[in-house]
């Protein structure tokens, strides 16, 4: 799309369509023109007089980084805007194709962004870091505005049915995230994950034949390797993760019973802590401490896991892995669960872990009088 001034109008090559009896227009716009044409101004305007939510500026840097770091491999969805003015559409008579032509919008028309104000802000910032992006295009969907009430309703309608993908589905499809790649690799190759990983959902139904979610494996690996969200993994670390989870499997009778069909996945999840994310995350954290302390002997020490009673009915897990009879993945519960595993393997607690353990013991003693 070219930005052109023609009779005090912006001219956009566009396609016209019809929705709910009203025309709309689809055009492509160079990124360089986005900040100039589509102005987002929220200066002290109360929500009831706006057609959009306020700009969440904390979201912008991550979007800018995505654009700048992936100039040849990024995807930005269309902006949806409404034009608070009458527009004209001139069909292209030369090609004799209906609904294909030029959309003309008065230059003084107010154009409100109904969906995409964060993309607009990210584009503006990214262009300052990488001017070469200016020649790329983004699709723009134009509606002719019928006033503020209609714009607000459009915003509500556009966002009403938008559902953020589950963390597991995000990990399945995200090929830029190294931690997601590692989780997918383990889910395909390592027992007990192979064949027992829920790849799309981040919760498992009671009748499912799966044991773990892809997102819980991803989080457990981060804990195991002591990595942050954006850190990558070396091939050695990838092999270490494979070796560790295989060793844990060999030291976990319940996991082996699953593969031998002596225990069903649903019964396992119903009765055992180590069939859930809190147990898996704690095992990852345990592994990080164990391998750091015993880089050459951890294979032997991990065998002590065979002596751990993972049943939910074990009083050890009350208020440690569970709160009010339900499993909890809160960071405090993960640490307390890890503490119990460290005790089973005769590993020392860190000062922070010891402090939390003391609070737990004091609270338990107070409760039991």
């Amino acid at each position: 799309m070219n930005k052109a001034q023609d009779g005090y109008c912006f001219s956009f090559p566009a396609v016209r369509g019809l929705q709910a009896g009203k025309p709309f227009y689809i055009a492509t716009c160079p990124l360089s023109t986005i900040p100039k044409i589509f102005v987002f101004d929220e200066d002290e305007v109360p929500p009831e007089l706006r057609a959009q939510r306020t700009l969440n500026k904390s979201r912008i840097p991550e979007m800018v980084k995505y654009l700048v770091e992936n100039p040849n491999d990024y995807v930005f969805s269309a902006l949806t805007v409404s034009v608070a003015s009458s527009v004209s559409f001139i069909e292209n008579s030369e090609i004799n194709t209906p609904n294909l032509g030029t959309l003309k919008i008065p230059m003084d028309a107010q154009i409100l962004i109904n969906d995409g104000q964060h993309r607009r802000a990210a584009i503006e910032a990214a262009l300052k870091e990488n001017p070469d992006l200016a020649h790329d295009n983004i699709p723009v969907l134009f509606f002719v505005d019928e006033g503020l009430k209609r714009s607000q309703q459009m915003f509500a309608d556009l966002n009403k049915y938008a559902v953020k993908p589950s963390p597991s589905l995000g990990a399945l499809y995200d090929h830029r995230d190294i931690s997601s790649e590692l989780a997918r690799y383990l889910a395909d190759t390592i027992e007990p994950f192979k064949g027992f990983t829920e790849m799309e959902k981040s919760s498992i139904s009671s009748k499912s034949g799966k044991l773990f979610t892809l997102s819980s494996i991803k989080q457990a690996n981060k804990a195991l390797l002591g990595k942050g969200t954006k850190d990558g993994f070396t091939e050695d670390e990838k092999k270490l993760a494979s070796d560790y989870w295989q060793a844990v499997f060999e030291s976990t009778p319940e996991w082996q019973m699953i593969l031998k069909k002596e225990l069903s996945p649903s019964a396992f999840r119903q009765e055992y802590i180590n069939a859930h994310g809190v147990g898996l995350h704690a095992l990852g954290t345990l592994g990080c401490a164990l391998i750091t302390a015993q880089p050459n002997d951890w294979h032997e020490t991990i065998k002590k896991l065979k002596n751990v009673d993972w049943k939910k009915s074990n009083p050890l897990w009350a208020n440690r892995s569970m709160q009010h009879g339900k499993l909890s993945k809160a960071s405090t519960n993960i640490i307390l669960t890890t503490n119990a595993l460290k005790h089973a393997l005769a590993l020392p607690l860190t000062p922070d872990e010891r402090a939390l353990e003391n609070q737990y013991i004091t609270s338990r003693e107070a409760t039991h009088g």
Side-chain angles (χ1 to χ4, degrees):
M1 179 192 69
N2 296 317
K3 175 189 173 186
Q5 183 175 347
D6 183 13
Y8 303 103
C9 288
F10 291 120
S11 296
F12 303 91
V15 177
R16 178 176 59 190
L18 200 66
Q19 191 174 95
K22 301 180 179 67
F24 67 91
Y25 308 90
I26 302 173
T28 57
C29 182
L31 296 188
S32 60
T33 66
I34 294 297
K36 302 172 185 176
I37 299 176
F38 308 111
V39 179
F40 182 76
D41 186 5
E42 59 177 22
D43 294 341
E44 304 302 324
V45 180
E48 63 273 16
L49 297 180
R50 287 200 312 263
Q52 255 289 20
R53 56 190 156 201
T54 56
L55 197 67
N56 182 354
K57 295 181 181 179
S58 65
R59 292 178 56 189
I60 306 305
E62 195 69 24
M63 298 173 74
V64 173
K65 183 180 179 182
Y66 167 69
L67 278 174
V68 172
E69 292 185 354
N70 301 281
N72 300 315
D73 190 28
Y74 72 89
V75 178
F76 256 24
S77 57
L79 304 178
T80 301
V81 305
S82 54
V83 184
S85 168
S86 60
V87 302
S88 61
F89 182 76
I90 303 172
E91 289 189 351
N92 191 331
S93 58
E94 295 181 1
I95 60 175
N96 196 28
T97 301
N99 296 317
L100 184 62
T102 302
L103 174 67
K104 291 182 177 290
I105 301 175
M107 293 192 70
D108 59 355
Q110 184 182 32
I111 304 177
L112 288 174
I113 297 179
N114 297 101
D115 183 51
Q117 86 273 30
H118 292 92
R119 271 162 280 159
R120 191 216 71 87
I123 289 169
E124 182 175 18
L127 287 171
K128 295 175 182 177
E129 294 191 32
N130 183 2
D132 290 341
L133 290 169
H135 304 294
D136 283 5
N137 292 274
I138 188 170
V140 181
L141 176 59
F142 291 90
F143 288 95
V144 179
D145 191 15
E146 298 175 2
L148 179 65
K149 184 177 180 180
R150 169 64 176 163
S151 290
Q152 290 177 335
Q153 186 61 54
M154 284 172 62
F155 173 77
D157 291 347
L158 286 165
N159 289 277
K160 184 181 297 182
Y161 302 109
V163 179
K164 185 178 181 180
S166 70
S168 285
L169 190 60
L172 177 63
Y173 289 163
D174 191 346
H175 295 276
R176 291 192 180 92
D177 181 21
I178 303 300
S179 59
S180 295
E181 179 184 341
L182 178 57
R184 290 193 301 269
Y185 170 77
L186 294 176
D188 287 338
T189 59
I190 300 300
E191 295 173 334
F193 305 137
K194 184 178 180 180
F196 291 95
T197 299
E198 171 53 63
M199 305 295 280
E200 294 188 36
K201 302 175 183 176
S202 289
S203 61
I204 300 177
S205 66
S206 59
K207 296 181 180 180
S208 173
K210 306 298 184 182
L211 293 180
F212 307 105
T213 65
L214 188 63
S215 58
S216 66
I217 296 174
K218 176 179 174 179
Q219 293 301 320
N221 282 326
K222 289 181 179 179
L224 169 64
L225 299 173
K227 294 285 185 173
T229 303
K230 300 301 178 184
D231 295 329
F233 299 110
T234 66
E235 285 300 314
D236 287 343
E237 288 172 327
K238 184 177 178 180
K239 184 180 185 304
L240 178 62
S242 299
D243 291 346
Y244 177 74
W245 291 116
Q246 188 66 44
V248 170
F249 167 73
E250 293 169 358
S251 302
T252 308
E254 299 85 16
W255 287 5
Q256 297 174 38
M257 289 170 65
I258 293 288
L259 267 66
K260 296 176 183 177
K261 300 187 183 304
E262 297 173 357
L263 179 66
S264 71
S266 58
F268 183 35
R269 287 195 307 277
Q270 187 173 352
E271 298 179 24
Y272 292 88
I273 297 293
N274 56 339
H276 298 273
V278 60
L280 201 65
H281 198 143
L283 283 166
T285 306
L286 172 74
C288 183
L290 173 60
I291 294 170
T292 300
Q294 303 176 15
N296 300 317
D297 303 322
W298 69 265
H299 285 90
E300 286 299 316
T301 305
I302 200 68
K303 293 178 180 178
K304 295 179 181 179
L305 278 180
K306 294 179 180 178
N307 302 321
V308 174
D309 180 1
W310 288 97
K311 286 186 177 179
K312 293 180 183 178
S313 57
N314 182 356
L316 173 67
W317 308 117
N319 297 322
R320 190 182 287 276
S321 307
M322 307 179 70
Q323 292 288 348
H324 309 295
K326 294 184 178 181
L327 290 167
S328 171
K329 290 192 291 185
S331 58
T332 297
N333 296 103
I334 291 170
I335 294 171
L336 289 172
T337 303
T338 305
N339 287 356
L341 298 179
K342 280 190 166 186
H343 178 75
L345 271 60
L347 291 175
L349 302 183
T350 67
D352 288 344
E353 290 170 342
R354 170 56 59 192
L356 190 59
E357 188 70 15
N358 290 338
Q359 292 178 20
Y360 166 78
I361 294 172
T362 301
S363 175
R364 186 181 61 181
E365 290 175 348
T367 301
H368 291 84

